[in-house]
Amino acid sequence: MTDPLFAPVELTPPDIAPYRRGNTGIDHVTSLSATEPGPHLVLNALVHGNELCGAIALDALLRMGLRPTRGRLTFVFANTAAYATFDRQNPYASRYLDEDFNRLWSSEQLDGRRDSVELRRARVLRPVYESADLLLDLHSMTADTAPLTLCGQTTRGRDLALGLGYPAWVVADGGHAGGKRLIDYGSFAEPEGSRTAILVECGQHWRTETATVALESCLRLLLGLEMVEVPATGPRLRPRTDPQRVVEVTDAITASSERFRFTAPFLGMEVIGRAGTVIGWDDDRAIVTPHDDCVLIMPARRVKSGQTAVRLGRIVG
Ligand SMILES: [Zn+2]
């Protein structure tokens, strides 16, 4: 198996300078409104500065000249400061500059007194996200895992992911102890309400296929919402192949030593048949699956003490 930390960078980071001025008064935010009423959909790229797929998808949609036939469509390139430092010789380094942009999404953080490059950008983008009815947040992964949608814990998030019919894996989860993600921000995550946010992990960071998944996810959502008509010359949706499966996260395994290791080079979305199977060691403590047909969700490649090593889930539908 190729270690994904050394996987070749197949994708080319697009030049997003043409989108800097945008049309909203906020750098790298472009918003297009139709006269017909409809939802406000935000397509969001570069929450992590080294995750190229979303930037490529948004660049493709903007260059197509796509306009909404109803509602409002907004394109956001989020952590552009980190993206500007992208170096294909050291492609992991540009995930963020000061801190993870995707752990800042609570009013305590946003209204707090702390300062960082990412907090400044989050505060600028906050009203854009707060005005969204729907948010599609485009990400990619270190490991060569199959694409998956993180739909949070609301029924409407799950329904939206299933309504798209793609990607095949849908993971219902509650986020991270280290801070709230954008899809968990405010009323996106409240059990009642209509505002809905999902995150698509489109595949391995550097693969050509990952950008295709990102564009396809955007198009399926836009077409599903009947917000666009894709020109005949535009990209075509590929036929769906796998049926969707929903996984509910049951456990998060946090490393308590610097000597955490898995028993095999898991990529994620493996289904371990028998409860009690040892999947890793945390120093000399065995990590075992708590139930039959346990799904390993996004195992970390390098685990430090106090960090989430892997999350475990159960297939529910
Ligand atoms: Zn990401």
Side-chain angles (χ1 to χ4, degrees), residues 48 51 139-140:
H48 294 126
E51 298 181 359
H139 288 250
S140 57

Side-chain angles (χ1 to χ4, degrees), residues 5-259:
L5 290 175
F6 299 99
V9 181
E10 297 168 357
L11 294 172
T12 301
D15 178 13
I16 61 167
Y19 312 122
R20 186 179 70 79
R21 285 195 58 192
N23 64 353
T24 60
I26 300 174
D27 274 7
H28 291 105
V29 178
T30 298
S31 197
L32 307 170
S33 291
T35 45
E36 283 286 309
H40 179 203
L41 168 63
V42 173
L43 300 177
N44 198 45
L46 295 178
V47 156
H48 294 126
N50 64 338
E51 298 181 359
L52 309 178
C53 65
I56 293 169
L58 265 53
D59 177 50
L61 293 169
L62 284 158
R63 281 191 291 115
M64 276 166 61
L66 213 61
R67 296 198 66 89
T69 53
R70 69 183 193 107
R72 180 176 161 205
L73 173 59
T74 298
F75 301 86
V76 177
F77 299 91
N79 196 347
T80 52
Y83 179 64
T85 69
F86 183 81
D87 173 4
R88 60 170 61 237
Q89 303 305 321
N90 189 16
Y92 289 89
S94 54
R95 182 174 172 84
Y96 55 76
L97 295 181
D98 291 338
E99 62 181 324
D100 191 332
F101 183 90
N102 214 22
R103 299 289 182 273
L104 304 176
W105 294 94
S106 63
S107 47
E108 299 83 78
Q109 295 275 11
L110 296 166
D111 296 326
R113 300 182 61 173
R114 230 163 43 74
D115 182 45
S116 70
V117 168
E118 278 76 17
L119 264 170
R120 259 172 269 155
R121 182 64 172 158
R123 286 165 182 149
V124 166
L125 290 175
R126 184 179 185 179
V128 178
Y129 299 134
E130 287 181 346
S131 67
D133 299 303
L134 293 145
L135 175 89
L136 173 59
D137 198 11
L138 297 163
H139 288 250
S140 57
M141 301 176 276
T142 302
D144 228 341
T145 311
L148 57 102
T149 302
L150 299 176
C151 67
Q153 289 180 313
T154 66
T155 308
R156 62 187 183 278
R158 187 179 303 199
D159 289 346
L160 179 63
L162 293 174
L164 297 180
Y166 178 91
W169 286 104
V170 175
V171 177
D173 74 330
H176 298 274
K180 276 198 194 285
R181 301 171 300 188
L182 180 56
I183 64 164
D184 303 319
Y185 175 45
S187 53
F188 284 140
E190 282 166 13
E192 303 298 323
S194 60
R195 301 182 66 236
T196 310
I198 56 174
L199 184 164
V200 177
E201 297 280 5
C202 298
Q204 208 280 334
H205 294 315
W206 326 124
R207 296 234 182 267
T208 305
E209 168 66 15
T210 303
T212 308
V213 172
L215 181 58
E216 177 128 14
S217 299
C218 293
L219 284 170
R220 282 188 183 276
L221 183 53
L222 286 161
L223 292 166
L225 294 167
E226 299 179 331
M227 282 183 71
V228 296
E229 284 159 18
V230 177
T233 53
R236 295 267 75 92
L237 297 179
R238 298 175 295 182
R240 283 168 16 204
T241 46
D242 303 329
Q244 282 183 301
R245 280 177 291 183
V246 180
V247 179
E248 283 179 357
V249 174
T250 53
D251 298 85
I253 305 297
T254 304
S256 57
S257 79
E258 298 293 336
R259 297 190 60 237

